[in-house]
Amino acid sequence: MLIYKVGERINSGLKLNTNENIVLNNKNLYFFLNIFKKYVNKINIYPDSNNFILKYIIKKNFKIKLNNIFICNGSDEGLGFLFLLFKNNIFKIPKFTYPFYNIYCNYNKMFKKKIKFKNIINFSNIIFPIPNSPTNEFILKKKILNNINKNKFIIIDEAYCDFYGTKYLNYISLNNNLIIIKTLSKSYSAANIRIGIIFSNEEIIKKLEKIKNSFNSYTINSLSSYLAIEILKNNDNYIINLIKVNYFLITMYNFFKKKFNTFYNYSNFLFIKTNIDFYFFFKKKKIYFRKFIYNKKYYFRITIPKIKYFNIVKKEFFKWS
């Protein structure tokens, strides 16, 4: 059985291998303490299985109807539900993309086809991220819109979409099977609370609710839900954080592009192609990157760090080079 290999967990050193957003959503400790204080007397009761208040805030933020919203315990759980829902179909997934797509197909014993990212929109029953992770490939919006219809499903993973701006929520309708999956882990700097959101037509959302309630009705705890509500309400801080991450990204990209084949990513990471000794050199220095092998070549994903940590990377880089 295939399993997903998470970024190496470390107790010391510089951890740049798991795409956690370096900018905190809210540094105000009282913000968190007030939530704990307000809801600690509810810890003995089950959370709201429908997440109504959080759904209402999502409805308001994303300007979409309540019956088009499904909340899950992280977008990975949402992906798991979608693969269960469509397990009798032949999934088409990009050849080089987020590894969980292939793992879910394997776990559910599903037939799948791996397609070059630039061609996947020409097939039926597809899933792909926009932009593709980790390669930052895009599909023209016009091509996607021309292929949205009722006869096939299109799942767009928008984990990183907030870093580049193009979104597809407005095109969800009962006349098509467009499905959008989002997360609060990346642009919203809230990976620890595990909140994912699926947007689709009412029929698909109802089916997802049935799947969820067939094994666990309480996938979101109250504290995570309340934190998510406050995070989504704090839109000014969210925009400022996107600007900060983009600044750090440009700074890092301008350094590495002179040294390696470096892909500019609309995200919170860089993707570079170089030799394996680069990876092991930095690992010995307790600086951890994410390693990928594709067509017998090595690629490395580096989470965008704050400037003070980037200066550490630069210092060690000059020793390596």
Side-chain angles (χ1 to χ4, degrees):
M1 179 187 296
L2 291 176
I3 62 169
Y4 181 75
K5 294 181 180 179
V6 300
E8 188 173 355
R9 313 309 294 184
I10 61 172
N11 296 318
S12 63
L14 191 51
K15 181 171 171 281
L16 302 177
N17 61 354
T18 51
N19 286 1
E20 293 146 336
N21 201 331
I22 51 155
V23 185
L24 290 177
N25 190 281
N26 195 314
K27 294 182 179 180
N28 185 353
L29 184 61
Y30 292 103
F31 162 78
F32 296 105
L33 290 178
N34 284 336
I35 292 174
F36 277 105
K37 184 172 66 175
K38 188 174 180 180
Y39 297 106
V40 72
N41 63 331
K42 296 184 179 181
I43 202 167
N44 61 316
I45 61 175
Y46 288 108
D48 173 16
S49 63
N50 293 318
N51 302 289
F52 178 77
I53 300 174
L54 177 54
K55 272 187 183 177
Y56 183 81
I57 297 299
I58 291 168
K59 167 185 177 273
K60 189 175 178 181
N61 264 41
F62 294 96
K63 297 177 174 57
I64 195 164
K65 295 178 180 178
L66 285 173
N67 57 15
N68 295 130
I69 301 167
F70 176 82
I71 302 173
C72 41
N73 187 8
S75 59
D76 289 334
E77 181 186 74
L79 286 170
F81 290 152
L82 288 170
F83 276 80
L84 276 174
L85 178 59
F86 297 112
K87 69 179 297 184
N88 294 325
N89 295 272
I90 299 176
F91 255 91
K92 286 79 174 185
I93 64 176
K95 283 187 175 180
F96 189 22
T97 191
Y98 185 41
F100 244 133
Y101 305 155
N102 187 48
I103 289 166
Y104 281 132
C105 287
N106 178 268
Y107 181 80
N108 291 306
K109 297 181 173 57
M110 298 167 61
F111 292 105
K112 66 178 182 294
K113 288 184 180 179
K114 292 186 177 181
I115 312 293
K116 285 185 178 180
F117 185 84
K118 65 179 181 179
N119 297 327
I120 198 164
I121 196 62
N122 300 320
F123 292 81
S124 62
N125 304 333
I126 57 178
I127 182 169
F128 58 90
I130 289 286
N132 190 31
S133 173
T135 62
N136 197 48
E137 296 168 277
F138 286 85
I139 297 172
L140 290 176
K141 185 174 183 178
K142 183 178 178 181
K143 283 189 176 182
I144 293 175
L145 296 183
N146 287 340
N147 283 275
I148 295 173
N149 60 60
K150 189 68 176 176
N151 298 321
K152 60 183 180 181
F153 63 81
I154 295 178
I155 303 172
I156 302 178
D157 187 343
E158 289 192 348
Y160 296 99
C161 77
D162 294 334
F163 294 102
Y164 83 102
T166 303
K167 301 170 187 177
Y168 294 90
L169 283 184
N170 293 338
Y171 303 101
I172 288 170
S173 148
L174 279 171
N175 297 319
N176 64 53
N177 286 326
L178 176 63
I179 302 161
I180 308 295
I181 185 159
K182 297 178 73 69
T183 177
L184 299 193
S185 297
K186 309 301 180 187
S187 57
Y188 287 93
S189 306
N192 194 270
I193 66 174
R194 310 308 300 135
I195 299 289
I197 313 165
I198 295 175
F199 301 96
S200 191
N201 67 54
E202 185 177 351
E203 293 177 0
I204 289 175
I205 296 300
K206 283 180 178 178
K207 290 176 182 177
L208 289 171
E209 292 286 356
K210 285 183 179 178
I211 291 173
K212 182 194 81 167
N213 290 322
S214 69
F215 74 95
N216 184 6
S217 297
Y218 306 103
T219 57
I220 309 297
N221 68 74
S222 295
L223 185 57
S224 290
S225 182
Y226 299 136
L227 284 167
I229 289 165
E230 296 303 319
I231 286 166
L232 288 168
K233 284 162 62 178
N234 193 356
N235 195 56
D236 290 344
N237 196 75
Y238 159 75
I239 293 170
I240 290 168
N241 284 352
L242 287 179
I243 294 169
K244 286 180 180 177
V245 171
N246 190 52
Y247 169 73
F248 297 146
L249 171 66
I250 292 170
T251 302
M252 197 166 174
Y253 173 75
N254 287 336
F255 175 79
F256 276 113
K257 73 176 182 179
K258 300 172 186 176
K259 322 292 181 183
F260 303 124
N261 184 357
T262 305
F263 302 79
Y264 186 90
N265 283 49
Y266 291 90
S267 59
N268 63 336
F269 64 88
L270 275 187
F271 194 57
I272 66 173
K273 177 184 174 186
T274 186
N275 299 321
I276 189 65
D277 60 319
F278 170 84
Y279 172 80
F280 286 116
F281 173 85
F282 279 92
K283 189 173 181 179
K284 285 180 181 177
K285 302 291 182 178
K286 294 188 176 182
I287 300 173
Y288 298 86
F289 307 141
R290 190 68 180 266
K291 177 170 87 294
F292 293 85
I293 304 173
Y294 183 64
N295 288 339
K296 299 180 180 180
K297 296 175 182 177
Y298 288 100
Y299 298 84
F300 304 96
R301 190 188 69 195
I302 306 174
T303 301
I304 302 302
K306 292 182 180 178
I307 294 298
K308 66 178 180 179
Y309 298 125
F310 176 51
N311 288 334
I312 296 172
V313 173
K314 282 202 298 185
K315 182 180 177 181
E316 296 300 336
F317 176 84
F318 289 123
K319 293 178 184 178
W320 174 77
S321 59

